[in-house]
Amino acid sequence: MEFEFDLIVVGAGSGGLAAAKRAASYGAKVAIIEANQIGGTCVIRGCVPKKLMVYAAKSKKNMDSSEGYGLKNEGINFESNILLKNVREEVSRLSNLHRNSLKKLNITIFEGLGRFITQNELEIICSNTKKIKNKISSKKILISVGGKPKKLNIPGIDLAWTSDDIFELEKFPKSLLIVGGGYIACEFASIFRNLGTEVTQLIRGKHLLNGFDEDLSLCLEESPTFTDIKIISNAQLKSIDRVNGNLESTLESGDKLLTNNILIATGREPNLLPLNLDFLNLKMDGQYLDVDELNQTSNANIFAVGDIINKPNLTPVAIEQGRVFSDNFFNDQKRKVNYEYIPKAVFTIPEISTVGLSEKRAKEIYSEKNIKIFKCKFTPMSNTFKKNKSKCMLKIVVHKLTDKVLGCHMFGETSSEIIQMVSVSLNAGITKKDFDITMALHPTISEEFVTMYG
Ligand SMILES: Cc1cc2nc3c(=O)[nH]c(=O)nc-3n(C[C@H](O)[C@H](O)[C@H](O)COP(=O)(O)OP(=O)(O)OC[C@H]3O[C@@H](n4cnc5c(N)ncnc54)[C@H](O)[C@@H]3O)c2cc1C
Ligand SMILES: NC(=O)c1ccc[n+]([C@@H]2O[C@H](COP(=O)([O-])OP(=O)(O)OC[C@H]3O[C@@H](n4cnc5c(N)ncnc54)[C@H](O)[C@@H]3O)[C@@H](O)[C@H]2O)c1
């Protein structure tokens, strides 16, 4: 059977764009279908606009607390509408850059919602008219449709925002309830609080950032940003009502809270429903599409990358999966994605960064007696004259018998930049001795990584 394309990519986000561009660079005839703006979650409503807001919050925090350096200010006037407008413009600029690079590579862009009609054919539905615009076919199809916010099944939930709505705002609210204690909840709690919004955070467990090294969660909870946030732990939201233009949250305990708005950040789920996959009977891995090491689904023509498979849902992971897929199937390479030592950061202020095993996980795997912990916590020099005395913390998890470094964790400004380089060392199998024989760079925060003795 003749197909119009060698590859159809459904979803022009991190994974899809990377795969489409790499396949086209090998001479494949590629089509990409996108229902929204080109760029996907990361560029349009995730990493990029979020990080721009983090920079705004950091700038404000620095300006607010630098009088000790002789930098007097008579009060900063934050105009959230300017930030939000600039962020939207930047996101559109980046989206256009991606569109242009697709065109340069002769990748055909189809705008609309992709929907399977056979295992090799998709129809494209116009997002506005809901009419079928095109039907296209290909030998191989890559699904890279990403995720969407998971909503709680409670009365009044549609009154609340998800992270997608934050980027559509015209201005910041005066008060906000954030539900959740994970990445998105903590990052937005930090952004909003540092830019002046009264923030309450509702978590169902005891601590923020469950699953991260416990010292990181504790450092975050003790930080000036989060001691300035009202954290309600061991609590669940039961319902939401509109009351005189505000939102009233009722908790399972019966307590009530009144805030201007509510942000629900209780996780994300694969956005598979519109694809009409049922008739293909693809094997699932829980809510995710099941794939093998080559990102092949249970149907030999159909592949999947990114947030729709059960791997860390991060942009660099989706990009690498997309590139590896195209390297293997359009350039005959034998590549695999390296899932070892993926560095992670939560962009709170200060930020949390981590690579490898947490202390708890290392002790579970290797037993407590085989693990040695090196840890230090101090006020960084940059905060000497600041009102904001947030601390930083560095921690190394080491296997006692082999001396191998199993994990590094850091809380503090620029820690994400530091952990990225630490991840190179861990990938290379570094030992604690290698850290010890490396000369320090002084005065820095990161020098503590090579000067910590047990
Ligand atoms: C608020 C937020 C902040 C984040 N911050 C970070 C961060 O700092 N660092 C990090 O590494 N990761 C971050 N992430 C996660 C990261 O954005 C995702 O892991 C990554 O974008 C996943 O890429 P993807 O290719 O799987 O899907 P996406 O980037 O989500 O792209 C999927 C695309 O498919 C389109 N689509 C969906 N269905 C269809 C269909 N049927 N037909 C056509 N098109 C369709 C969508 O419109 C979308 O453009 C963040 C996520 C969020 C929500
Ligand atoms: N800096 C980054 O790299 C970054 C930033 C944002 C998002 N992300 C990616 O996006 C994913 C999604 O982020 P997220 O913050 O939505 O998810 P998450 O898994 O990090 O956090 C979800 C939070 O919601 C809570 N929760 C789940 N169900 C709940 C319920 N029914 N009631 C109350 N609380 C509930 C969880 O306990 C957790 O605290 C992340 O896992 C990550 O992969 C990455």
Side-chain angles (χ1 to χ4, degrees):
M1 188 177 166
E2 282 288 303
F3 298 111
E4 291 164 82
F5 294 98
D6 300 319
L7 174 66
I8 295 175
V9 175
V10 197
S14 307
L17 285 169
K21 289 178 190 177
R22 188 59 68 92
S25 77
Y26 296 133
K29 194 175 175 206
V30 181
I32 194 161
I33 310 174
E34 175 52 57
N36 204 291
Q37 263 180 289
I38 287 175
T41 305
C42 175
V43 177
I44 310 297
R45 60 198 93 84
C47 333
V48 173
K50 177 274 309 279
K51 191 81 190 276
L52 290 168
M53 289 183 180
V54 171
Y55 288 129
K58 269 188 190 169
S59 304
K60 170 97 167 42
K61 195 172 184 77
N62 271 334
M63 287 161 117
D64 283 343
S65 65
S66 293
E67 282 197 13
Y69 285 101
L71 296 161
K72 288 214 168 176
N73 75 62
E74 307 306 325
I76 311 275
N77 188 22
F78 168 58
E79 295 187 28
S80 57
N81 58 326
I82 295 180
L83 171 68
L84 289 159
K85 177 176 152 288
N86 287 345
V87 167
R88 274 194 284 272
E89 282 176 8
E90 175 60 6
V91 157
S92 294
R93 188 185 72 82
L94 295 173
S95 180
N96 281 332
L97 283 182
H98 277 296
R99 178 180 289 274
N100 290 340
S101 66
L102 291 174
K103 281 187 186 156
K104 270 194 196 138
L105 284 160
N106 289 323
I107 296 168
T108 313
I109 304 169
F110 290 92
E111 289 173 359
L113 197 71
R115 197 170 176 274
F116 277 85
I117 39 181
T118 73
Q119 62 166 356
N120 293 102
E121 255 182 315
L122 284 126
E123 57 191 14
I124 294 136
I125 300 159
C126 174
S127 305
N128 297 328
T129 63
K130 310 288 174 221
K131 289 199 176 132
I132 299 169
K133 289 167 74 178
N134 308 80
K135 283 184 188 174
I136 53 173
S137 64
S138 171
K139 191 160 187 316
K140 290 189 172 55
I141 296 175
L142 177 71
I143 308 176
S144 49
V145 293
K148 59 175 185 181
K150 217 190 278 177
K151 285 202 165 180
L152 295 175
N153 187 15
I154 56 165
I157 192 66
D158 288 337
L159 295 170
W161 292 334
T162 67
S163 60
D164 291 354
D165 299 306
I166 300 296
F167 305 112
E168 302 293 326
L169 295 180
E170 290 305 324
K171 64 180 176 65
F172 277 24
K174 287 210 170 80
S175 63
L176 179 67
L177 171 70
I178 299 183
V179 182
Y183 279 90
I184 293 178
C186 290
E187 290 183 341
F188 280 115
S190 172
I191 291 168
F192 278 107
R193 183 63 211 119
N194 281 301
L195 288 169
T197 298
E198 284 296 324
V199 177
T200 306
Q201 198 171 348
L202 190 76
I203 55 174
R204 62 178 174 178
K206 204 169 162 207
H207 292 290
L208 299 174
L209 294 176
N210 204 2
F212 281 74
D213 190 278
E214 283 169 12
D215 276 312
L216 293 175
S217 302
L218 291 178
C219 283
L220 189 67
E221 286 167 8
E222 287 167 2
S223 69
T225 297
F226 280 81
T227 48
D228 215 13
I229 287 170
K230 184 178 175 200
I231 299 175
I232 305 174
S233 50
N234 300 312
Q236 291 264 32
L237 187 59
K238 195 173 163 202
S239 63
I240 303 171
D241 291 290
R242 193 179 287 288
V243 175
N244 298 332
N246 289 313
L247 296 181
E248 185 181 69
S249 308
T250 304
L251 312 190
E252 289 287 354
S253 62
D255 288 351
K256 290 186 189 291
L257 296 166
L258 197 67
T259 50
N260 291 154
N261 298 93
I262 300 171
L263 166 64
I264 304 289
T266 50
R268 291 172 62 81
E269 60 192 354
N271 191 11
L272 297 174
L273 207 59
L275 286 169
N276 189 35
L277 290 176
D278 281 356
F279 75 97
L280 291 166
N281 281 322
L282 298 180
K283 194 172 165 216
M284 300 299 290
D285 174 6
Q287 62 176 351
Y288 299 99
L289 276 176
D290 189 54
V291 289
D292 65 11
E293 281 191 325
L294 297 174
N295 286 85
Q296 196 159 29
T297 66
S298 54
N299 182 313
N301 303 316
I302 301 174
F303 301 80
V305 296
D307 285 5
I308 52 172
I309 65 170
N310 193 6
K311 292 288 179 194
N313 285 179
L314 298 168
T315 285
V317 176
I319 290 175
E320 180 64 358
Q321 288 165 345
R323 288 184 179 155
V324 168
F325 159 76
S326 292
D327 287 346
N328 287 336
F329 289 96
F330 294 95
N331 194 34
D332 228 4
Q333 297 184 29
K334 301 271 175 291
R335 288 227 295 134
K336 280 185 190 159
V337 176
N338 172 13
Y339 291 106
E340 292 287 305
Y341 301 113
I342 297 174
K344 295 173 183 158
V346 185
F347 295 103
T348 46
I349 303 173
E351 60 205 32
I352 275 180
S353 307
T354 180
V355 60
L357 297 179
S358 66
E359 177 177 344
K360 187 170 169 220
R361 194 73 194 109
K363 285 177 176 171
E364 279 165 7
I365 296 173
Y366 297 104
S367 122
E368 186 155 359
K369 67 177 190 316
N370 292 326
I371 296 298
K372 188 157 187 195
I373 301 297
F374 299 82
K375 189 164 82 178
C376 64
K377 193 172 178 182
F378 57 98
T379 303
M381 201 198 274
S382 56
N383 287 345
T384 308
F385 299 139
K386 282 190 189 164
K387 277 186 280 180
N388 151 32
K389 292 283 186 212
S390 79
K391 296 225 158 70
C392 62
M393 193 275 303
L394 292 84
K395 180 169 178 178
I396 310 179
V397 181
V398 179
H399 193 291
K400 263 189 202 165
L401 307 178
T402 59
D403 197 40
K404 194 170 174 210
V405 177
L406 302 172
C408 286
H409 311 283
M410 185 168 170
F411 175 76
E413 54 186 278
T414 68
S415 64
S416 58
E417 307 287 350
I418 295 162
I419 286 291
Q420 171 70 86
M421 297 317 293
V422 171
S423 70
V424 176
S425 318
L426 264 64
N427 243 315
I430 197 168
T431 60
K432 176 65 170 62
K433 184 159 176 274
D434 295 320
F435 270 72
D436 297 342
I437 60 168
T438 301
M439 190 63 75
L441 195 162
H442 182 75
T444 61
I445 303 173
S446 55
E447 67 180 310
E448 298 296 329
F449 268 134
V450 297
T451 55
M452 266 193 270
Y453 291 96

